[in-house]
Amino acid sequence: MLVHIAGLINPDDALRHLESLKAATWGDGKMTAGTQSARAKHNQQLPEDHPLTRDLGSHIVGILERNTLFMSAALPLKVFPPLFNKYEAGESFGTHVDNAIRQVPGTPHRVRTDLSATLFFSPPDEYEGGELVIEDTYGLHSVKLPAGDLVLYPSSSLHHVRPVTNGARICSFFWIQSMVRADAQRTLLFDLDMAVQRVSSDMPEHPSLISLTGVYHNLVRQWAEV
């Protein structure tokens, strides 16, 4: 399941954060790559201990916690602290699958990567190329979103970032451990939740709302790991 969350960050705020990111000192993107990914990864990354990484990452997590679409789609148990990358001058990231487990730096905590997220800070007209391409059973999905928009997709998906041929693409990326491990179950719950919300909006007194809401929560109760 791919979910586009438009305007997760207000576009004006996203551009303000972009200026701070542009002014930062970047390192080699391979610093967080696994053995397989390191062969395909050619980009730059803000160090994990950089103050901007910590501060802006915490800000993003706070916004996620208040976003109902993200909460419904991800059913998050843990969110890996957001990281930041930059692609320019022909840099790219070849086809890969994200590591299954990520160690949170400086802590004993680990995150199972059920979902991957990319949050765009560079407006699409500031760079050429740089599309995030995600593969699933329906084919290839090319993603290049406005500043402040986020895409959420299964971490088990093969994906790559096409070379940036002009300008610079700056994004945040991170992973989520969901309370519901299986993508198919999360998709069913998301579709059901969206349907319940539509019925609640269109027919708030409909007697089936209580039953539908009960089905949703009983499925979460059956599938969730907390």
Side-chain angles (χ1 to χ4, degrees):
M1 177 177 66
L2 274 69
V3 178
H4 172 198
I5 302 178
L8 178 75
I9 293 181
N10 177 281
D12 291 337
D13 290 341
L15 294 177
R16 178 170 52 83
H17 295 313
L18 176 62
E19 293 307 310
S20 298
L21 290 164
K22 285 180 177 179
T25 300
W26 295 77
D28 191 333
K30 289 183 171 63
M31 67 179 73
T32 56
T35 303
Q36 172 254 332
S37 295
R39 299 190 185 100
K41 190 174 187 181
H42 306 285
N43 65 3
Q44 301 165 61
Q45 185 170 314
L46 203 61
E48 293 175 88
D49 59 355
H50 193 289
L52 186 56
T53 302
R54 295 196 300 266
D55 294 345
L56 186 50
S58 296
H59 179 62
I60 291 169
V61 171
I63 291 173
L64 292 172
E65 291 172 347
R66 299 189 296 273
N67 187 278
T68 56
L69 184 57
F70 172 80
M71 298 300 288
S72 177
L75 294 170
L77 180 63
K78 302 176 185 176
V79 176
F80 190 91
L83 301 173
F84 301 87
N85 59 21
K86 178 168 69 170
Y87 293 81
E88 59 185 354
E91 293 174 328
S92 64
F93 199 160
T95 302
H96 65 286
V97 172
D98 291 338
N99 289 353
I101 305 294
R102 305 291 308 197
Q103 180 85 37
V104 179
T107 78
H109 304 300
R110 296 179 176 87
V111 174
R112 186 185 68 233
T113 59
D114 298 321
L115 292 157
S116 299
T118 298
L119 172 59
F120 290 76
F121 282 96
S122 297
D125 59 359
E126 280 199 2
Y127 61 98
E128 296 176 6
E131 296 87 354
L132 170 64
V133 181
I134 303 163
E135 302 182 30
D136 64 13
T137 54
Y138 299 101
L140 301 179
H141 305 272
S142 181
V143 182
K144 187 173 182 177
L145 300 179
D149 284 18
L150 177 141
V151 64
L152 191 66
Y153 59 97
S155 300
S156 55
S157 304
L158 286 170
H159 56 282
H160 65 273
V161 177
R162 289 176 177 150
V164 170
T165 57
N166 189 42
R169 171 198 191 266
I170 296 177
C171 294
S172 176
F173 64 102
F174 52 94
W175 300 273
I176 301 98
Q177 180 173 332
S178 177
M179 291 184 288
V180 176
R181 181 192 300 246
D183 180 59
Q185 293 173 342
R186 284 196 309 273
T187 301
L188 286 172
L189 289 168
F190 180 67
D191 290 345
L192 178 56
D193 191 21
M194 293 298 100
V196 169
Q197 291 185 39
R198 284 193 295 271
V199 173
S200 179
S201 176
D202 296 341
M203 297 176 285
E205 303 301 324
H206 198 288
S208 294
L209 272 173
I210 295 175
S211 297
L212 287 171
T213 302
V215 169
Y216 173 83
H217 285 286
N218 285 331
L219 286 174
V220 172
R221 186 175 292 111
Q222 179 174 336
W223 292 337
E225 304 169 9
V226 295

